[in-house]
Each structure stands twice: as C-alpha cells, then as structure tokens.
C-alpha cells in the first residue's frame, strides 16, 4: 500500500471510529429494573455500545441483551421521522408527509370539534409505559385534566398485583433487593427475571455462590429462570394461592410458624390457622396439579429457612384472581417471620418509597373529579360503545395515543379492531415505528427515543432516582411527548404552568417538590439512592395500616368496587377461565426474552433470536392430537383463532400451552396476533387485564381446517 493510500485508510478508520464519549442515562422501558446505563456517544450524533453502569450497586454493570443492542433500535432505518396524514383507507398504511404545524392544527381542530359536538369526555388521551419516564410518559395527563377529557384507569399491567399486595401490607415497600445476596433461599414466584429483570439474577447468583443459597421458581412453565433453579414448581395457571395456602398450613402443622411475630405484627393469626386447617398439600395438589410430595418439599424448605427472600413477579397481575393470589403469597413471610431478617421478607415493588408530588407533571391541581374514568384494558369495549364502560356519557370520538400499541397489546384485539374501524373516530398516534396502531392513525406523529430527550426516572425493583438527559439529536423531525403536549395545549387554549416549562425544568421542580435533590445534582451524581432504612423496609415498626398489622383478612371493599366477592382469608379463588370439554387448554402469553411488549420486535437481532411465534405444548398432548414438532396448530375460542407452530416441551403440565409474545400481528398467519384470544373481562376487585387467564381449544392446523369445512 502506498503512503497516500495508507494515510487515507487511516483517516477513514479514524472517521469511522469517531470521537467517543461515555455518558450516563437510564433505561426507559417497562421493566422494574430501570437500569443505570453507560452510553457510548459517537461524534455527539450517534450511539455505540450501551452498558450497565458498573458503579451502580443494583445494576452492577449488567443489562439485558436487548438494551445493550440499542443502537439497532435508535438508528433503525424504519424510524418514523416526519408528521403524516392518512391518505388511504384506515389501516392501509397510506400516508403523505405534512408539516408539524399542519399536523398539530388538524389534531387540535378534531379535538375541538369532538368536544363541541359530544362534550369534552368524547376525547380520550390514551397512553401507557412505552417510556417509564415520569415527564414524557405522564405529561399527557396534564392536557387531559386541563381540558376535562376522559380520564384513564391504568389497568393493563400492574394494578391487580398492586391491590393484592396492598391488601396485606398496606404500602408498596419491601426489603432492599440487593439483600437477595444475603438470603439462604430465594423464591421467584410468578416471574422470569432471566428475561424480564436480569439484575435480579445478579444478586441471586451472589447468594448462590457465596452462601450456597437455593433458588425456587414457581411458574406454569420452565422458563429461563426455572431452568437454572434448584426446584421448579409448574403450577397450573391461576392456582398460586392454593400452593401458598398449603405452605402456610404446613408451617402451622409442623411448628414452623413464628407465633411471637404473628402475635405482634398480624391481625388474626388464630383465624388464619383455623382457616388453613383444611387447606393442606392434598387439597392444593388437586388444584395446582403438583404432586403432594413436591408441595411438602417446598414447604419444608421455605418454612425452615429464616433468610427466605420472596421475589414476586408480574404474573399475578394477568389473572382474574390475581389480587387474591398475590395477597395469599404475600402472607408467607408474615407466617414465618422472615421479615425480621436481612435477606428475608418479600418484594413486589418498592415504588412507595418515592413520595412523588406529580402535580406539575400531571396537572393534578386542575382535575375535575366528575370527569369519567375509562378502563384502558377495555379499549375495545369503549370504542364499540359498551355502556358498561361509557356510562351515561358520550362515545369516544377522538384519541391521542402515546407510548402504547393497543391494536396488538390490548386484550380481545378483534374487538379493538372493530372499534378503530369506526368512520366517526379520529385517531392521532405519536410513535417511533409503523405499528399496527400507527397504521390506524388519521394523523401520525414521529416520536423521539429516550436518548433524544430529557426525562426523570424511578424504579420499581430498586431504589434509585435517575435522570436521563438528552444525549443525541433525534432523526428527521421527531419530537418528544412533552413537546407534542405543549404544542397541542397552545392550540387548544389549555392553561397550566407546566405548559410553559421544559421537560428538565419540570423534572427539577418535581424533584424539589418531592423532597429530593434537584435535577442538576441528580445528573452530576448519576443517581440518588433513596432506599429506606432496614426497619422501615422490613416493616419492623409496622405495616401500612393505622395499627401497623399485616392483614390476613383484608378490607377488600376499600380496594375495589367488587371487594365483596373477594375471599375473607387467603384462599384459592376459582374465578379463572377454567378449561372445559370445549376448551381443554389453559393459555399463558408469557413475555418473550428478546421483546418487551411490542418494543424491540423491529430490531433484527431480536427477531432472529426469537425465530417465530410458537406454542409450547406438552408431548403427551401433542401425541394425542397428532401434532409434530414444528407443525402448524390452531388455537381458538369464542373471540377468535390464531395459527402458530408447535414446540414440544415437557417443562409444563399437560393441558397448558405457552405462547411467548407479543409478536406483531403480521408475524401470524392471517395477520391476527395472540391477543385475539385473550379476554377483556376485568379482574377482581377493581379491573385489570387477564392475559394469562385464557381457555382455548388447540388442534393440528389440518384438523382445524377440516372441521371448519364441515
């Protein structure tokens, strides 16, 4: 190579490498970990490697593979980059570019017209957790409240579990998750942290390596976490409370209940013991499908281990009886007294520690309490005019959608599709990619990603407050959620101080109003650890009720309108979508490892690693139905049918089928995704989506076609 050519090659290599700087941020995605990140920024314009922050004692340098590959997502060639208006039939994906001014003018005009004709409640701003940033996610509520638009009940993810936890403990608080490293037994119940909270595994691994701790997983199938556990208990879906009751029965029976702790910290230990007398391993075996010997083994291990850390997942929040099941499981450490010990107790979410004053973010000072509240999980019913949801108010005639993809992720998606097909419905979608919901838009707006705007973050699974500052410019004409809300507020005449502030100004004011350091200090320190001291986190000065006692017998009526239907003591609640002769399988739509709801379904590596939508089926069921490995199967019920390929798998009980999701609809034959099968029935006692609580029939595709032809 000549000197000139060599110099040219060196210059090109240097240009390609660029000026690389490591900046701090926080993962915005819908996960309790909210990982502390170190992001490589190249020439101030692009990102390279994304790593977990090594100095953060919870993240500890570890993040999930999907976020480590974030450059694939933020620099994806299919990003939406310009505002557009629909030019073809709804859902056709036919759009033409327009300016931001025209786009926002059209949205404001549509909202004004809907409010003038039908009342302000005819407009429904609809959002969820595409970002977990407090300013960018929740600022839509400020517009809602200032304009008296319909309010939203956030039921699609965690509300069922939250109610179940609060029923017993009274407050969302638990031990420092880093204490898992001090436990002698960790029980992961209703979760799969290998796929959904990878940092949990960091602290579990420390306990196993340093203390010889045991890991038990309770979940309907042998997921990634269960595969590395010392003991896996594959309960039938919706039967967790029966197992929990049997374990507590054994604690009383075997003299392993901590009676001193029970007398001091719980409301009715004698009543609980009497109630559980008939709920032993034989009873639980008939409900859960687990052998009696396996239940006894688990009971001996849990009840006999003082430092037992119960890490409860989000599986409970997907069941009709999930609140009752969560309550029953959360009773376990109160019976054994595990709360007394470092490395003991239970954690679902610790977000009660943050004490946020979100008045400025959400406009809580201008809420009209008379404005109706619509259940987001019932969006199909709302848009198809179900009076059980709409009450005496108007139908919804205009939608603003941010941070969510209801055409794919909401239950009973065939009903949701019918709702969106209405000619009298105006839809504005603010999105990053052309999702199924984006294709339904009349006006489609391009959205920033987390590295392209400022935001404030809390965690549910650890104790750090973080700020993710803007690190790079967005592509094209993308705008943040905050900027879109400000643009609409100006056109609609909405008044609130938050509409005159930047996102960082709101973050700073919110931090200070909540008693935390200001934004500049949080950015400088990278995070602020607000974990409560041991006694408070372990409820050693009392649980979250006036008398300080854990509730074995909760006041369910105070927690939801259907509280009268809840069990008076921890118990199995047989209200699930049980299998029957016509629908002999119980379907669980568990999270896929490489996706997060429908985020990351667009990235090439995630799609390659997931392969295709698959139904995990027990070999005995497959043999009975004539289904071969990789064969096409049809799942169905009254709501619809879905075709996938089969994977023979013995890590579940016969009669259970697992489809890890949420794949885009177009990845399924016929363009119908898995949530066509799930119900929008509300969970007890206060609503909530029931994605893991579905009875279906399953047939080999050829047999299903022959039956349909008849």
């Amino acid at each position: 190579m000549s000197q000139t050519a060599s110099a040219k090659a060196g210059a090109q290599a240097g240009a390609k490498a660029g000026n690389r700087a490591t900046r701090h941020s926080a993962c915005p995605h819908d996960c309790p970990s909210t990982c502390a990140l170190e992001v490589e920024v190249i020439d101030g314009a692009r990102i390279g490697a994304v790593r977990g922050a090594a100095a953060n004692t919870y993240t500890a340098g570890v993040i999930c593979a999907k976020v480590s590959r974030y450059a694939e997502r933020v620099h994806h060639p299919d990003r939406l980059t310009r505002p557009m208006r629909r030019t073809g039939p709804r859902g056709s994906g036919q759009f033409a570019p327009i300016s931001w001014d025209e786009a926002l003018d059209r949205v404001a005009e549509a909202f004004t017209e809907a409010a003038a004709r039908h009342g302000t409640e005819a407009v429904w701003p609809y959002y969820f957790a595409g970002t977990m940033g407090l300013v960018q996610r929740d600022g839509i509520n400020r517009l809602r409240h200032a304009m008296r638009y319909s309010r939203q009940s956030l039921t699609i993810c965690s509300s069922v579990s939250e109610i179940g936890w609060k029923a017993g403990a009274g407050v969302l608080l638990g031990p420092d998750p880093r204490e898992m490293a001090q436990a002698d037994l960790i029980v992961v119940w209703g979760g799969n942290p290998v796929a959904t909270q990878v940092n949990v595994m960091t602290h579990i691994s420390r306990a196993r390596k340093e203390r010889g701790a045991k890991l038990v997983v309770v979940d309907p199938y042998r997921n990634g976490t269960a595969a590395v556990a010392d003991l896996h208990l594959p309960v039938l879906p919706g039967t967790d409370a029966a197992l929990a009751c049997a374990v507590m029965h054994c604690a009383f029976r075997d003299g392993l209940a901590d009676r001193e702790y029970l007398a001091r910290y719980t409301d009715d230990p004698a009543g609980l013991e009497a109630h559980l007398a008939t709920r032993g391993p034989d009873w639980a075996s008939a409900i859960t499908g687990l052998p009696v010997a396996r239940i006894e083994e688990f009971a001996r291990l849990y009840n006999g281990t003082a430092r037992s850390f119960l890490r409860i997942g989000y599986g409970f929040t997907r069941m009709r009886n999930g609140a009752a099941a969560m309550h029953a499981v959360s009773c376990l450490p109160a019976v054994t007294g595990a709360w007394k010990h470092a490395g003991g107790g239970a954690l679902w979410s610790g977000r009660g520690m943050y004490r946020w004053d979100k008045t400025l973010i959400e406009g809580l000072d201008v809420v009209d309490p008379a404005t109706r509240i619509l259940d987001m999980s019932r969006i199909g019913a709302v848009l198809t005019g179900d009076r059980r949801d709409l009450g005496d108010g108007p139908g919804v005639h205009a939608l603003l959608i941010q941070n969510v993809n209801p055409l794919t992720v909401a239950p009973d998606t065939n009903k949701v599709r019918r709702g969106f097909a209405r000619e009298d419905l105006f839809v504005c979608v603010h999105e990053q990619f052309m999702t199924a919901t984006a294709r339904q838009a009349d006006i489609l707006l391009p959205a920033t990603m987390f590295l392209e705007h400022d935001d404030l973050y809390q965690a549910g699974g650890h104790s750090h407050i973080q700020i993710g500052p803007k690190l790079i410019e967005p592509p094209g004409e993308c705008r943040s959620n905050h900027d879109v809300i400000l643009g609409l507020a100006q056109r609609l005449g909405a008044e609130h101080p938050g509409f005159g502030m930047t996102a960082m100004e709101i973050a700073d004011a919110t931090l200070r109003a909540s008693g935390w350091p200001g934004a500049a200090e949080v950015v400088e320190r990278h995070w602020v650890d607000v974990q409560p001291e041991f006694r408070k986190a372990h409820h050693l000065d009392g649980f979250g009720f006036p008398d300080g006692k854990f509730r074995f017998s909760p006041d369910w009526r105070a927690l939801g309108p259907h509280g009268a239907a809840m069990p008076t003591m921890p118990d199995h609640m047989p209200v699930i979508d049980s299998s029957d002769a016509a629908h002999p399988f119980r379907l669980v739509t568990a999270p896929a490892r490489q996706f997060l709801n429908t985020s990351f379904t667009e990235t090439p590596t995630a799609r390659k690693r997931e392969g295709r939508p698959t139904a995990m089926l027990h070999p005995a069921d497959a043999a009975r139905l004539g289904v071969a490995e990789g064969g096409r199967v049809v799942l169905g019920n009254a709501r619809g049918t879905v075709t996938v390929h089969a994977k023979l798998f013995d890590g579940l009980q016969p009669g259970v089928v697992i489809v890890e999701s949420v794949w885009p609809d177009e990845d399924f034959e016929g363009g119908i995704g898995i949530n066509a099968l799930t119900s929008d029935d509300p969970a007890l006692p206060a609503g909530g989506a029931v994605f893991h609580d579905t009875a279906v029939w399953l047939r080999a595709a050829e047999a299903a076609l022959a039956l349909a032809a008849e």
Side-chain angles (χ1 to χ4, degrees):
M1 181 183 292
S2 69
Q3 244 183 342
T4 303
S6 178
K8 184 176 180 181
Q12 289 174 339
K16 185 176 182 181
N19 178 27
R20 297 174 182 259
T22 297
R23 302 285 302 278
H24 284 267
S25 188
C27 179
H29 285 282
D30 190 6
C31 163
S33 290
T34 318
C35 291
L37 302 179
E38 295 174 356
V39 181
E40 189 179 49
V41 179
I42 305 170
D43 294 330
R46 296 179 63 83
I47 69 163
V50 180
R51 306 178 184 90
N56 183 282
T57 53
Y58 181 76
T59 301
V62 177
I63 60 172
C64 68
K66 46 189 174 280
V67 173
S68 71
R69 302 189 298 264
Y70 215 84
E72 282 190 27
R73 191 165 195 274
V74 74
H75 301 306
H76 198 293
D78 294 340
R79 286 274 305 266
L80 298 176
T81 58
R82 297 188 64 183
M84 295 185 283
R85 63 176 177 84
R86 178 166 63 88
T87 59
R90 188 185 298 280
S92 66
Q94 298 174 28
F95 294 94
I98 55 175
S99 70
W100 265 104
D101 282 339
E102 181 183 354
L104 294 176
D105 286 347
R106 284 176 178 258
V107 176
E109 289 167 6
F111 286 9
T112 301
E113 180 182 355
R117 292 185 61 184
H118 307 285
T120 58
E121 290 178 332
V123 181
W124 192 20
Y126 187 93
Y127 78 110
F128 200 56
T131 176
M132 295 289 279
L134 302 187
V135 178
Q136 303 289 351
R137 180 189 66 190
D138 300 331
I140 192 173
N141 289 320
R142 192 180 338 117
L143 181 68
R144 178 199 315 279
H145 297 148
M147 297 302 297
R148 309 302 192 266
Y149 294 151
S150 284
R151 291 186 282 165
Q152 179 177 323
S153 181
L154 300 174
T155 60
I156 205 162
C157 180
S158 63
S159 62
V160 177
S161 287
E162 179 173 333
I163 288 170
W165 178 273
K166 285 183 174 179
V171 61
L172 293 180
L173 201 61
D176 188 329
R178 291 164 290 197
E179 284 185 30
M180 282 184 283
Q182 302 176 54
D184 295 317
L185 170 67
I186 300 106
V187 180
V188 174
W189 200 320
N192 180 19
V194 161
T196 60
Q197 297 181 56
V198 67
N199 309 99
V200 170
M201 300 306 297
T202 299
H203 303 287
I204 291 175
S205 296
R206 281 190 57 197
R208 299 179 88 179
K209 181 178 180 179
E210 297 172 8
R211 301 180 60 86
K214 300 293 185 183
L215 172 62
V216 175
V217 174
V218 184
D219 199 89
Y221 78 115
R222 191 171 63 237
N223 55 40
T225 310
V228 299
D230 298 287
L231 176 64
H232 173 218
L233 298 161
V235 294
L236 291 172
T239 66
D240 304 81
L243 177 59
C245 287
V247 173
M248 290 187 285
H249 166 98
C250 292
F252 285 111
R253 182 198 68 189
D254 300 340
L256 295 173
D258 187 332
R259 295 189 181 276
E260 181 181 351
Y261 182 92
L262 284 162
R264 180 176 178 183
Y265 287 100
T266 70
D267 64 338
D268 188 9
L272 177 67
E273 185 173 5
H275 166 73
L276 294 173
T278 59
R279 287 162 173 77
D282 289 331
W283 169 83
S285 177
I287 296 169
T288 64
L290 297 174
V292 170
R294 187 65 62 87
I295 296 172
E296 291 276 10
E297 178 186 4
F298 176 45
R300 284 192 301 273
L301 183 60
Y302 182 82
N303 295 331
T305 306
R307 292 176 180 260
S308 58
F309 195 109
L310 185 55
R311 189 62 177 94
I312 305 176
Y314 282 69
F316 295 94
T317 206
R318 316 284 190 248
M319 306 295 299
R320 287 170 175 81
N321 64 3
M326 168 63 87
H327 173 246
V329 172
S330 72
C331 291
L332 286 163
V335 171
T336 65
W339 285 109
K340 298 185 301 184
H341 306 287
L347 177 64
W348 175 63
S349 171
R351 64 174 181 259
M353 74 180 79
Y354 295 106
R355 62 175 192 269
W356 292 116
D357 181 345
K358 295 176 70 178
T359 301
L360 191 58
I361 293 175
E362 298 196 34
L364 299 179
D365 49 345
V366 294
V367 174
D368 180 354
T371 306
R372 71 176 174 195
I373 302 175
L374 300 175
D375 184 342
M376 69 175 302
S377 300
R378 300 267 300 164
I379 185 173
V382 168
L383 295 183
T384 54
D386 195 322
R387 280 292 153 194
R388 293 173 295 179
D389 298 275
L390 296 173
D392 296 329
V396 169
H397 291 269
L399 287 167
L400 169 62
I401 299 176
Q402 289 185 322
N403 312 321
V404 67
N405 180 16
L407 261 291
T408 301
V409 304
D412 200 352
T413 49
N414 283 329
K415 187 189 295 183
V416 178
R417 287 166 179 255
R418 292 194 296 272
F420 272 86
R422 286 171 35 205
E423 292 296 330
D424 64 340
L425 178 68
F426 174 85
V427 181
C428 173
V429 178
H430 188 201
E431 249 298 354
Q432 298 164 346
F433 292 95
M434 187 63 77
T435 65
T437 304
R439 284 193 291 271
Q440 299 290 323
D442 295 287
I443 296 295
L444 180 56
L445 306 175
T448 52
M449 292 187 183
F450 78 104
L451 298 168
E452 300 160 354
H453 58 237
D454 297 323
D455 215 343
L456 169 65
Y457 300 93
Q458 68 173 40
H462 63 85
S463 55
H464 295 93
I465 294 172
Q466 301 176 82
I467 281 180
K470 179 178 177 178
L471 300 184
I472 59 174
E473 291 297 325
E477 300 176 37
C478 294
R479 291 189 185 179
S480 71
N481 292 350
H482 176 71
D483 288 338
V484 168
I485 296 302
L486 264 55
L488 289 175
Q490 181 182 21
R491 288 164 172 79
L492 291 164
E495 296 183 355
H496 192 273
F499 295 134
M501 301 171 69
T502 67
M504 190 64 87
E505 288 170 340
I506 291 179
D508 179 68
T510 298
L511 283 161
R512 295 179 186 277
S514 306
W516 303 120
E521 182 176 345
V522 176
V523 170
E524 183 180 0
R525 293 168 57 180
H526 307 316
W527 50 78
V528 176
D529 191 346
V530 299
Q531 175 65 36
E533 51 89 23
F534 181 89
R535 289 193 63 85
K536 183 175 181 180
H538 283 254
H539 307 285
L540 297 184
D541 294 321
F543 290 87
F545 296 103
D547 63 0
K549 292 183 180 293
F550 185 91
R551 297 289 191 261
F552 292 133
S553 183
D555 181 5
W556 290 109
R557 287 177 174 83
L559 295 168
H562 304 291
M566 302 296 289
T568 57
M569 282 278 183
D571 211 347
H572 171 62
M573 192 178 182
V575 295
I576 58 177
D577 190 14
S578 300
S579 57
D580 56 27
H583 306 91
F585 286 91
R586 295 272 289 146
L587 168 67
V588 174
T589 56
R593 185 166 186 169
Q594 305 298 329
F595 303 153
L596 204 167
N597 297 321
T598 56
S599 296
F600 299 97
T601 58
E602 67 285 327
T603 55
T605 304
R607 294 184 62 85
K608 181 179 179 180
R609 292 186 178 184
E610 287 297 331
R612 62 187 179 189
T614 302
M616 299 184 194
L617 186 65
H618 195 279
D621 288 327
R624 177 171 52 83
L625 296 170
V627 174
E629 176 72 26
R632 293 166 58 250
V633 295
V634 182
L635 293 79
N637 55 25
R639 289 176 287 277
T641 60
V642 173
T643 302
V644 294
H645 291 80
K647 176 182 178 180
L648 275 56
F649 180 63
D650 64 0
L652 40 67
Q653 294 194 43
V656 176
V657 59
I658 308 290
V659 179
E660 293 182 332
S661 297
V662 179
W663 287 85
D665 294 345
E666 55 266 28
D667 287 302
F668 293 83
E669 290 187 25
I672 303 295
I674 196 64
N675 280 320
L677 304 177
T678 58
S679 172
D680 65 356
D681 287 353
L684 295 172
V690 295
F691 294 113
H692 297 174
D693 190 358
T694 306
V696 296
W697 50 260
L698 184 149
R699 303 183 184 107
E702 293 73 15
L705 289 171
L707 189 63
E710 293 177 5

